[in-house]
Amino acid sequence: MAAAGSAGVPATVSEKQEFYQLLKNLINPSCMVRRQAEEIYENIPGLCKTTFLLDAVRNRRAGYEVRQMAAALLRRLLSSGFEEVYPNLPSDVQRDVKIELILAVKLETHASMRKKLCDIFAVLARNLIDEDGTNHWPEGLKFLIDSIYSKNVVLWEVALHVFWHFPGIFGNQDRHDLDIIKRLLDQCIQDQEHPAIRTLSARAAAAFVLANENNIALFKDFADLLPGILQAVNDSCYQDDDSVLESLVEIADTVPKYLGPYLEDTLQLSLKLCGDSRLSNLQRQLALEVIVTLSETATPMLKKHTNIIAQAVPHILAMMVDLQDDEDWVNADEMEEDDFDSNAVAAESALDRLACGLGGKVVLPMTKEHIMQMLQSPDWKYRHAGLMALSAIGEGCHQQMEPILDETVNSVLLFLQDPHPRVRAAACTTLGQMATDFAPGFQKKFHETVIAALLRTMENQDTQDVENMSDDDGWQFVNLGDQQSFGIKTSGLEAKATACQMLVYYAKELKEGFVEYTDQVVRLMVPLLKFYFHDNVRVAAAEAMPFLLECARIRGADYLSQMWQLICDPLIKAIGTEPDTDVLSEIMNSFAKSIEVMGDGCLNDEHLEELGGILKAKLEGHFKNQEIRQVKRQEENYDQQVEMSLQDEDECDVYILTKVSDILHSLFSTYKEKILPWFEQLLPLIVNLICSSRPWPDRQWGLCIFDDIIEHCSPTSFKYVEYFRWPMLLNMRDNNPEVRQAAAYGLGVMAQFGGDDYRSLCSEAVPLLVKVIKCANSKTKKNVIATENCISAIGKILKFKPNCVNVDEVLPHWLSWLPLHEDKEEAIQTLNFLCDLIESNHPLVVGPNNSNLPKIISIIAEGKINDTINYEDPCAKRLANVVRQVQTSEDLWLECISKLDDEQQEALHELLNLA
């Protein structure tokens, strides 16, 4: 559309119509139509966007979807693009925007749209508070205050909504402002006629306190609001609204001192809500979270209220007994999301944190008798919960439990023979957690007893389970190694599964000491494998597979080859069928490491064909999921909560993309150029990843894949150069350092491995690399890794493609950029090249009359301080020899060390002694 609506020139009717059509196209189901509309929208000047969007938001005839889209775009424009747009608007337009926005909020009749307008109001207000705290929109603030003092409940809601989103709207607050804020909030919190107003004002009050987390004096002034906030917590919970309770959790986490004057009331309310079975599980868990969080953030305060903690413990243990009935649990096809937020899981975590927060002296006496009674119960749920409680308190009660550890371990071992499989599994889990909490003494003292008991659990319990198991059965087990819970299914195999993983844990801990058990463990584990990867099974291969390979490596090459034949097919199938991101990523990790250990030829043609189809589907799904998320961002119910959920989905997708990259890395590094014909089925998808329109993680990992091709498949890789040439160069200018790093690394390996075909591309790369290095903020924490990859890349060009660059001009600059601190792998490459130059007595490096040697000695010292130099690496000896050579000239050595501090001198001394 035309760039109309410039300063002083009103937009025509046709231009407005064009813009409304553009908004409709932005929510069109067709991906192509949306993309074209997005390109047009991005090229519209900021003034036009602002005026057109505001007009569309206020125009009730435009249709709700169009108005909603306009509101979302206006909020985005005034938040992420404020500095580029708003200050450049003419002053009369800025004034009109403020006036029009107040009118829009005041006159809007649609509740959902009014909230969106309040969000925009809050964003604009936030940006109109300068760094000194001065409010440059006093009319907006006056409107909010007048709204509260009015008798219009809708306007009260508007003011509170804005204040909740932006509690800093008053800017610098003097005594008068604080009195107004307190009066306004108190008036609304006390309102008895409108529950929604009480709820919103309580959230706004909480937001204001949180926004002033460092102002201790303010806490005292605003303590009078706490009874109203607590009452609102109570009332809203029984109206099926947990938003104020969530705010109370935030206060407990961030500003626990604010609760001091009413801590007893806060704890009593939380205790009451936690124990009320009429409330939802989430509400009860949030109430418990208040108590647990305070045990972590306000431990001394809470230790004065141990009577309430003691009352909370039975509630926690009761929640841990809140398990699914056995029959329902066995018949469940797959893990429900709610299972991860169950009372049992939340309560176990709470007990763990409570013990760590308050310590064993407080918590163990409160829990010990309860746990002992639960372990003696005829009800399996109580025995299960008792074991899990014992597991949960171990870390926090470590010192107090150590004297009774023998007795405790022997007690838990008995439950490995419990008649109920879930209790047996809980016993395995408890032993695993105790092994972590009481390491290393636990392993030394109990490993023989525990391993023998675990092997009996795998061998003797439910011996017909595997043989009799139907194709629809399946299981998942608990990850003891890193304490992640993936849930458990199918009673017959649960104890075997958990015992299996406990043995994985011991294998990791004992390493060579575990050799004597490998035959027995593998014999018991392998029959389970065919069920690990069934279509309906969500598996624990994330832990089992690395363990099996580790066992096989211990036993030798023949054993490893036999094991690979057993697990290769199920691993590939699992990659294609496993939906759980965490489990899938671990399986893909295992597969990539299998490949690297087994080497060339480990995958046959059928394996490669199946793997190619799976990776292709993963990449296609990645792009499809991104499109689906973009559509969801245009839907009516889109808000910040939805956006957070979409971002979580995006992170999961990107995580899987990194694992696809890892597998390809393993294939390229193992098979070299022989794998390229197979790879070409994926090539169009990888090329799509590095398109300029893709999100930065796509471009980062797409470039990493081409980096691997260049590094491991050169010189054949040059046939793909037109796919990655310009993306590699252009992404050197990308705003994101991870993308720059991937591009810089690729340019470096072109020089190192690419052959003569890459000479011109290396020449083009040098000025781009230098520009990044010389950028003013190139050494900030965010940017330094990318910058060091650029420095390393220039070093590789100087070393491997010297005819592509003016060495005399660039080499002194390269030396001045050393040492590298953060990227250890690239740092050692630069030190090796530096040794080459010194050992060849390169005049530009040593300098006239050895003038550069003090700089070089300091670089070597820094390499030692930063742990770049590994004494087992030949480079360490080379660097030590350089130092020794300098020491032969006493005057030169004294000059060098005179410029070093004590830490650097000590580092050189250690290098000379050890290398």
Side-chain angles (χ1 to χ4, degrees):
M1 63 176 288
S6 56
V9 181
T12 65
V13 173
S14 63
E15 288 168 346
K16 283 187 179 182
Q17 288 174 342
E18 282 185 56
F19 190 79
Y20 283 117
Q21 184 58 51
L22 180 64
L23 292 175
K24 290 178 182 177
N25 289 346
L26 286 169
I27 55 178
N28 192 291
S30 167
C31 181
M32 184 177 295
V33 173
R34 288 200 313 276
R35 283 183 180 172
Q36 289 174 346
E38 286 166 4
E39 289 179 11
I40 295 171
Y41 176 80
E42 290 302 322
N43 290 319
I44 298 174
L47 172 59
C48 296
K49 283 181 183 175
T50 306
T51 53
F52 278 142
L53 289 172
L54 193 54
D55 180 80
V57 164
R58 291 201 59 199
N59 187 351
R60 295 178 195 171
R61 292 175 297 178
Y64 182 74
E65 288 188 351
V66 169
R67 295 180 68 208
Q68 180 180 249
M69 186 68 206
L73 292 172
L74 184 56
R75 183 178 63 178
R76 189 186 309 165
L77 187 68
L78 292 177
S79 54
S80 60
F82 182 85
E83 291 299 330
E84 291 78 27
V85 176
Y86 190 86
N88 295 320
L89 298 177
S91 58
D92 59 328
V93 176
Q94 292 183 9
R95 183 197 64 224
D96 290 345
V97 168
K98 296 174 186 175
I99 294 171
E100 289 293 313
L101 191 51
I102 291 174
L103 283 173
V105 172
K106 187 185 294 186
L107 300 176
E108 181 58 54
T109 57
H110 196 294
S112 178
M113 180 58 70
R114 187 165 55 246
K115 287 182 180 179
K116 288 177 169 49
L117 289 169
C118 288
D119 293 343
I120 297 170
F121 191 113
V123 167
L124 181 58
R126 182 180 289 109
N127 281 290
L128 290 174
I129 301 279
D130 64 21
E131 293 180 358
D132 297 324
T134 303
N135 187 334
H136 293 279
W137 190 15
E139 303 88 352
L141 183 57
K142 183 178 183 302
F143 164 66
L144 296 182
I145 295 172
D146 291 344
S147 295
I148 291 289
Y149 284 131
S150 75
K151 296 184 178 180
N152 188 329
V153 177
V154 170
L155 291 181
W156 292 1
E157 190 173 349
V158 164
L160 289 169
H161 192 89
V162 171
F163 190 59
W164 166 46
H165 273 291
F166 181 40
I169 195 167
F170 276 78
N172 289 328
Q173 302 136 8
D174 57 23
R175 181 72 257 173
H176 175 69
D177 289 330
L178 289 174
D179 288 342
I180 290 176
I181 295 169
K182 184 177 176 182
R183 257 197 330 271
L184 296 178
L185 292 171
D186 191 50
Q187 170 189 324
C188 294
I189 287 177
Q190 300 304 325
D191 185 282
Q192 297 302 311
E193 296 182 24
H194 307 98
I197 293 297
R198 289 206 309 278
T199 296
L200 192 52
S201 57
R203 296 187 73 187
F208 183 73
V209 171
L210 288 165
N212 290 275
E213 61 179 288
N214 297 317
N215 189 345
I216 305 299
L218 181 140
F219 296 170
K220 186 175 181 181
D221 279 346
F222 279 70
D224 294 347
L225 296 178
L226 256 174
I229 293 174
L230 295 177
Q231 187 61 47
V233 168
N234 182 78
D235 296 346
S236 60
C237 279
Y238 290 100
Q239 293 157 6
D240 201 27
D241 179 357
D242 46 54
S243 61
V244 194
L245 182 53
E246 288 177 348
S247 296
L248 185 61
V249 173
E250 287 187 70
I251 290 174
D253 185 41
T254 308
V255 286
K257 288 185 178 178
Y258 176 61
L259 299 173
Y262 293 92
L263 184 59
E264 174 89 16
D265 295 334
T266 302
L267 293 171
Q268 290 287 6
L269 172 63
S270 301
L271 185 65
K272 170 200 165 189
L273 297 175
C274 172
D276 194 335
S277 59
R278 294 174 297 170
L279 297 176
S280 70
N281 285 352
L282 177 59
Q283 289 171 326
R284 294 178 64 196
Q285 291 168 26
L286 285 170
L288 178 58
E289 181 67 21
V290 174
I291 299 174
V292 174
T293 298
L294 286 170
S295 77
E296 297 169 324
T297 61
T299 306
M301 290 167 55
L302 217 64
K303 283 184 176 179
K304 297 176 183 177
H305 297 276
T306 52
N307 61 319
I308 296 181
I309 306 303
Q311 295 175 61
V313 166
H315 289 310
I316 296 172
L317 295 174
M319 291 171 75
M320 291 181 69
V321 178
D322 188 8
L323 298 165
Q324 281 186 330
D325 288 338
D326 203 21
E327 183 177 351
D328 293 338
W329 171 75
V330 172
N331 293 332
D333 285 336
E334 58 185 34
M335 198 69 173
E336 299 290 338
E337 284 188 19
D338 291 345
D339 292 348
F340 295 103
D341 298 320
S342 70
N343 278 342
V345 172
E348 182 186 338
S349 173
L351 188 59
D352 177 16
R353 291 165 57 200
L354 201 67
C356 290
L358 297 178
K361 284 185 179 179
V362 174
V363 173
L364 187 58
M366 294 178 178
T367 56
K368 185 177 178 182
E369 288 305 315
H370 290 293
I371 292 173
M372 291 302 106
Q373 290 175 16
M374 295 169 81
L375 292 176
Q376 295 167 21
S377 172
D379 187 333
W380 74 267
K381 293 183 181 181
Y382 283 83
R383 300 198 302 276
H384 182 282
L387 287 166
M388 298 310 294
L390 197 60
S391 169
I393 65 172
E395 182 181 3
C397 301
H398 178 281
Q399 189 174 347
Q400 289 71 31
M401 288 181 67
E402 199 127 40
I404 58 171
L405 194 57
D406 286 45
E407 172 192 339
T408 307
V409 170
N410 289 332
S411 174
V412 175
L413 286 171
L414 294 175
F415 288 96
L416 290 176
Q417 307 301 317
D418 192 274
H420 199 284
R422 293 191 72 180
V423 177
R424 299 199 298 273
C428 292
T429 300
T430 302
L431 290 168
Q433 189 60 55
M434 291 172 76
T436 299
D437 294 336
F438 297 94
F442 186 97
Q443 284 82 346
K444 292 177 181 176
K445 190 170 186 179
F446 300 109
H447 84 265
E448 289 185 2
T449 304
V450 172
I451 290 175
L454 291 169
L455 289 170
R456 285 196 300 273
T457 299
M458 288 189 70
E459 190 149 22
N460 298 333
Q461 298 288 350
D462 301 314
T463 54
Q464 298 301 311
D465 283 339
V466 175
E467 290 80 0
N468 296 338
M469 199 172 156
S470 72
D471 279 354
D472 290 329
D473 287 333
W475 56 267
Q476 294 183 328
F477 56 70
V478 176
N479 183 330
L480 302 173
D482 58 10
Q483 302 174 19
Q484 291 175 318
S485 175
F486 295 119
I488 306 171
K489 306 276 178 176
T490 304
S491 60
L493 283 177
E494 181 186 13
K496 289 178 182 288
T498 316
C500 165
Q501 193 168 26
M502 255 305 301
L503 291 165
V504 172
Y505 173 81
Y506 270 102
K508 290 178 178 177
E509 290 293 313
L510 299 174
K511 296 184 173 62
E512 296 297 328
F514 199 79
V515 171
E516 62 181 289
Y517 303 104
T518 56
D519 273 346
Q520 192 175 0
V521 174
V522 170
R523 177 175 59 80
L524 292 169
M525 193 181 294
V526 167
L528 302 178
L529 279 177
K530 66 175 179 176
F531 296 105
Y532 282 14
F533 304 109
H534 190 277
D535 289 344
N536 295 330
V537 178
R538 302 297 171 254
V539 301
E543 289 291 314
M545 292 305 101
F547 165 68
L548 288 174
L549 290 174
E550 185 60 32
C551 288
R553 272 195 287 272
I554 292 171
R555 299 301 301 274
D558 290 341
Y559 201 93
L560 179 62
S561 179
Q562 293 172 33
M563 187 60 62
W564 176 250
Q565 297 305 316
L566 286 171
I567 67 175
C568 182
D569 282 333
L571 267 179
I572 293 175
K573 284 182 170 58
I575 293 171
T577 58
E578 176 56 59
D580 184 283
T581 301
D582 292 320
V583 178
L584 176 59
S585 67
E586 290 299 330
I587 292 172
M588 295 173 84
N589 268 342
S590 299
F591 185 71
K593 292 173 183 175
S594 305
I595 294 174
E596 291 178 11
V597 170
M598 294 304 298
D600 190 350
C602 63
L603 299 175
N604 60 33
D605 290 344
E606 290 78 13
H607 290 150
L608 285 170
E609 182 179 359
E610 185 174 6
L611 180 63
I614 289 170
L615 296 184
K616 185 177 180 183
K618 296 288 181 195
L619 291 166
E620 289 172 342
H622 177 80
F623 296 129
K624 182 65 176 176
N625 290 342
Q626 286 180 336
E627 289 185 9
I628 291 171
R629 286 192 285 273
Q630 284 304 102
V631 171
K632 288 182 178 179
R633 287 185 171 96
Q634 316 305 331
E635 292 175 351
E636 181 176 348
N637 64 344
Y638 173 77
D639 57 18
Q640 193 60 34
Q641 285 295 110
V642 174
E643 178 58 30
M644 290 173 65
S645 175
L646 295 178
Q647 288 181 11
D648 287 343
E649 291 176 16
D650 188 61
E651 287 177 9
C652 288
D653 270 5
V654 169
Y655 192 49
I656 295 303
L657 177 60
T658 70
K659 301 307 169 186
V660 170
S661 174
D662 288 345
I663 289 177
L664 291 174
H665 167 82
S666 298
L667 289 169
F668 292 134
S669 61
T670 301
Y671 282 85
K672 310 299 182 186
E673 66 274 4
K674 289 189 293 186
I675 202 69
L676 290 176
W678 168 88
F679 167 74
E680 288 184 356
Q681 65 184 308
L682 305 177
L683 181 59
L685 296 165
I686 307 303
V687 171
N688 192 27
L689 283 175
I690 60 175
C691 287
S692 59
S693 60
R694 305 303 309 170
W696 71 261
D698 285 16
R699 288 181 282 117
Q700 175 196 3
W701 291 104
L703 288 172
C704 286
I705 291 168
F706 279 115
D707 291 350
D708 279 326
I709 294 173
I710 297 165
E711 181 171 355
H712 298 292
C713 306
S714 287
T716 311
S717 65
F718 191 75
K719 70 177 181 176
Y720 305 118
V721 71
E722 292 310 316
Y723 293 119
F724 59 75
R725 179 191 190 100
W726 290 113
M728 199 79 76
L729 294 172
L730 292 173
N731 279 304
M732 283 305 306
R733 305 171 185 169
D734 194 84
N735 289 330
N736 194 281
E738 284 89 346
V739 178
R740 294 200 302 277
Q741 179 187 358
Y745 183 82
L747 294 171
V749 294
M750 282 179 196
Q752 187 172 0
F753 301 103
D756 287 343
D757 289 333
Y758 282 104
R759 280 188 301 175
S760 64
L761 190 45
C762 290
S763 295
E764 292 179 76
V766 172
L768 297 173
L769 294 164
V770 170
K771 187 173 182 179
V772 172
I773 297 165
K774 289 189 172 182
C775 183
N777 63 351
S778 66
K779 292 296 181 74
T780 62
K781 185 176 181 179
K782 176 183 177 182
N783 294 318
V784 65
I785 296 286
T787 302
E788 291 193 352
N789 271 261
C790 293
I791 295 169
S792 178
I794 287 183
K796 291 170 185 174
I797 294 171
L798 288 167
K799 180 175 181 177
F800 297 103
K801 296 286 189 294
N803 55 349
C804 296
V805 64
N806 185 333
V807 176
D808 291 350
E809 179 184 347
V810 176
L811 187 56
H813 288 289
W814 178 81
L815 185 64
S816 73
W817 297 328
L818 301 184
L820 307 188
H821 293 86
E822 303 298 326
D823 193 317
K824 306 304 182 188
E825 188 173 334
E826 298 307 309
I828 202 68
Q829 292 230 30
T830 64
L831 289 175
N832 268 307
F833 181 40
L834 182 62
C835 287
D836 293 343
L837 295 166
I838 296 168
E839 288 164 1
S840 66
N841 205 31
H842 197 292
L844 289 174
V845 173
V846 296
N849 299 318
N850 296 320
S851 59
N852 286 342
L853 286 179
K855 163 71 174 174
I856 290 169
I857 295 298
S858 73
I859 290 171
I860 296 172
E862 285 298 312
K864 172 64 189 71
I865 292 169
N866 296 324
D867 293 326
T868 298
I869 300 172
N870 180 345
Y871 294 119
E872 296 176 1
D873 193 302
C875 184
K877 188 171 185 178
R878 297 177 74 191
L879 292 167
N881 287 338
V882 170
V883 176
R884 292 187 184 105
Q885 187 64 33
V886 175
Q887 283 181 322
T888 60
S889 171
E890 185 176 351
D891 291 342
L892 182 57
W893 176 244
L894 289 174
E895 181 185 354
C896 289
I897 63 171
S898 68
K899 297 180 181 180
L900 302 178
D901 59 30
D902 290 344
E903 185 181 20
Q904 290 172 322
Q905 292 187 36
E906 179 61 30
L908 287 180
H909 180 72
E910 187 176 337
L911 174 66
L912 293 171
N913 283 340
L914 296 175

